[in-house]
Amino acid sequence: MPVIDTQHLFGDALGLLTAIFYAGYILSVAQLRLYFSTAIIAFASSTVGATILFFVAWLSGESFLPLTTAGWLSLVGLACISQVIGQSLIMFALAHLPSAFASVSLLLQPVTAAILAWRLFGEALTLQQGLGGVIVLAGIVLARWSDRKPVS
């Protein structure tokens, strides 16, 4: 039986809170897609997120803007790939897929990240991580099968 590690309890609680907020985000976007375009939702979501994060960065006292060209390129790359392209594709998909299936399919993100880290950066994958990836993939297949309408 696994033992709860109290040293990681705060991180685990943050992970659970993140999952709750992400689920709320997905359900909200799925509902908003009934009334608004992907571009409008993406713009509003990015504006709200940037505003909140601006104040978090400002209050933290850390350096706010990148100091090097490489830092700026990283910032622009993350903004374009992760936020603009990634979130827009998720929002677009939520207009065409059931939100339950889309949510389960988003579990591919950490599996893909682990595979890319292994292939691109030589990071080791443990048996436990591989098994977790297989379970996620099986869950997605099962969700897709259960989402299909019976033929009549």
Side-chain angles (χ1 to χ4, degrees):
M1 173 178 241
V3 177
I4 295 177
D5 185 354
T6 56
Q7 290 180 327
H8 298 115
L9 196 55
F10 182 68
D12 293 343
L14 287 177
L16 182 59
L17 186 62
T18 300
I20 291 168
F21 277 109
Y22 196 47
Y25 171 78
I26 294 298
L27 292 173
S28 298
V29 168
Q31 287 300 306
L32 289 169
R33 281 297 284 131
L34 298 172
Y35 306 101
F36 301 103
S37 71
T38 297
I40 290 172
I41 299 169
F43 179 78
S45 172
S46 296
T47 302
V48 170
T51 303
I52 292 168
L53 292 176
F54 169 81
F55 287 108
V56 169
W58 181 60
L59 292 172
S60 74
E62 296 292 324
S63 176
F64 189 70
L65 297 173
L67 302 174
T68 64
T69 303
W72 276 104
L73 290 173
S74 295
L75 180 65
V76 170
L78 285 169
C80 290
I81 294 169
S82 299
Q83 186 62 28
V84 175
I85 296 172
Q87 291 302 310
S88 294
L89 287 173
I90 290 170
M91 290 174 197
F92 179 79
L94 285 169
H96 304 284
L97 294 172
S99 56
F101 177 70
S103 297
V104 172
S105 297
L106 287 172
L107 293 173
L108 274 176
Q109 291 178 75
V111 175
T112 303
I115 292 169
L116 287 174
W118 168 63
R119 295 291 297 158
L120 298 175
F121 306 118
E123 289 192 19
L125 287 177
T126 66
L127 180 61
Q128 186 178 14
Q129 290 168 323
L131 182 59
V134 169
I135 291 170
V136 166
L137 295 175
I140 292 169
V141 169
L142 288 173
R144 184 64 187 144
W145 280 345
S146 69
D147 195 37
R148 290 169 51 189
K149 293 183 170 71
V151 178
S152 7

